[in-house]
Amino acid sequence: MRSLLFVPGSRPDRIAKALGAGADAVCIDLEDAVAPGDKAEARASVMEALARPREQSPRLGFRINPIRTPNGLADLAAYSASHAVADFIMIPKASHPVELEIIAGALEGHERPHLWPIVESAEGLSHAYEIASGPCVQGVLFGGADFAADLGTTMEWEPLFHARGTLAAAAAAAGIELLDVPYLDVNDDEGLAASTARVKALGFTGRACIHPRQIAGVNAAFTPTNTEIEQARRVLAAFADSKGGAALLDGKLVELPVIRAAERTLQAAGLVE
Ligand code: GLV
Ligand code: MG
């Protein structure tokens, strides 16, 4: 998924609109977007919303509360006892892979949704690869806001650089997707575009959004342009012409790593499996 739009679990009236906003996925939030006193009501209405028949796309899931809290346990229990069907469940404050084992175990028998742990603490980062390769994990979200708060840093590029790089390597090693924290200034389109281009360059595969107006920019950042697709095709053609040896294209060496990058571009464009 290139883009994932969060909607507050306390506003089920917004779900239908969010599903039509152009994001690849919509995540109904039971965690930070819902005030402590509203958790039970939001939980019940989210389960109801997830039990309604819907189109296959975009994917729809929800974020539970941290599994080490009573609210997190109640969210999971409510889901597994209901007729709700989520395409994915986001697991905030994931700090250790055992949490994923417990959640996957609790959902056995239920049509098991994909799990999306959120790494957003120093402890979680120290288990990045184990979390990324946990059961049913389809991707990881980098929770930059909580991560910065945990370390006592700001959300500038430099303080978060090491965490993003570590997560990119962990996600690639586990063969899963990696989404970045939403860009918090919803009116700053240029800042969104610039920072999203940077995280894509680091190896992220998508980004979460907190406002529908961010979706088009995020989708564009993670969709190869026609020029990139054309160049990827030229690279593959040059390599094919060289019969598997190294080739030169526009004076630059084309060998296996360059081929992998070209194939990845065509995959991201949905042009090959
Ligand atoms: C997301 O949950 C974040 O903390 O950035
Ligand atoms: Mg968070």
Side-chain angles (χ1 to χ4, degrees), residues 35-124:
D38 297 337
K39 296 279 187 196
E41 195 185 327
R43 178 181 304 126
S45 63
V46 168
M47 294 312 141
E48 241 180 76
L50 288 170
R52 282 184 215 122
R54 60 178 184 268
E55 310 269 309
Q56 270 202 320
S57 92
R59 283 176 268 173
L60 180 63
F62 69 114
R63 174 162 80 167
I64 61 173
N65 286 277
I67 199 62
R68 293 172 191 260
T69 66
N71 273 319
L73 291 171
D75 295 338
L76 188 65
Y79 179 74
S80 73
S82 74
H83 296 291
V85 178
D87 298 315
F88 60 91
I89 301 183
M90 285 215 150
I91 321 290
K93 315 283 186 310
S95 59
H96 194 280
V98 76
E99 294 165 11
L100 303 169
E101 283 161 27
I102 292 170
I103 294 167
L107 295 174
E108 221 162 83
H110 214 274
E111 195 172 316
R112 253 198 311 205
H114 293 294
L115 301 184
W116 274 80
I118 308 181
V119 172
E120 48 187 346
S121 64
E123 194 186 353

Side-chain angles (χ1 to χ4, degrees), residues 6 31-32 63 92-93 118-120 141-147 155 181-182 184:
F6 276 109
E31 197 208 14
D32 291 349
R63 174 162 80 167
K93 315 283 186 310
I118 308 181
V119 172
E120 48 187 346
L141 170 69
F142 173 49
D146 269 299
F147 186 81
M155 288 182 70
V181 57
L184 298 183

Side-chain angles (χ1 to χ4, degrees), residues 66-272:
I67 199 62
R68 293 172 191 260
T69 66
N71 273 319
L73 291 171
D75 295 338
L76 188 65
Y79 179 74
S80 73
S82 74
H83 296 291
V85 178
D87 298 315
F88 60 91
I89 301 183
M90 285 215 150
I91 321 290
K93 315 283 186 310
S95 59
H96 194 280
V98 76
E99 294 165 11
L100 303 169
E101 283 161 27
I102 292 170
I103 294 167
L107 295 174
E108 221 162 83
H110 214 274
E111 195 172 316
R112 253 198 311 205
H114 293 294
L115 301 184
W116 274 80
I118 308 181
V119 172
E120 48 187 346
S121 64
E123 194 186 353
L125 189 69
S126 75
H127 295 290
Y129 172 71
E130 297 155 88
I131 289 173
S133 51
C136 307
V137 172
Q138 183 180 47
V140 161
L141 170 69
F142 173 49
D146 269 299
F147 186 81
D150 195 39
L151 266 67
T153 68
T154 65
M155 288 182 70
E156 302 298 304
W157 181 253
E158 288 80 5
L160 299 186
F161 180 69
H162 166 258
R164 284 191 169 114
T166 301
L167 284 175
I176 59 155
E177 301 175 45
L178 179 61
L179 297 186
D180 197 37
V181 57
Y183 190 71
L184 298 183
D185 184 345
V186 295
N187 293 315
D188 178 8
D189 295 341
E190 269 176 36
L192 172 70
S195 69
T196 307
R198 278 180 125 178
V199 296
K200 176 177 183 284
L202 266 189
F204 280 64
T205 54
R207 183 162 207 178
C209 302
I210 43 168
H211 193 283
R213 67 170 289 170
Q214 299 179 315
I215 296 168
V218 167
N219 282 347
F222 290 100
T223 307
T225 61
N226 288 340
T227 313
E228 286 165 338
I229 292 170
E230 181 53 30
Q231 182 61 13
R233 288 200 160 121
R234 288 184 69 223
V235 163
L236 293 177
F239 191 66
D241 281 351
S242 79
K243 312 247 179 311
L248 272 187
L249 180 66
D250 304 331
K252 292 192 197 122
L253 184 65
V254 172
E255 50 182 2
L256 284 174
V258 184
I259 299 300
R260 280 183 77 187
E263 284 170 350
R264 195 184 283 253
T265 299
L266 297 184
Q267 261 166 17
L271 296 170
V272 292

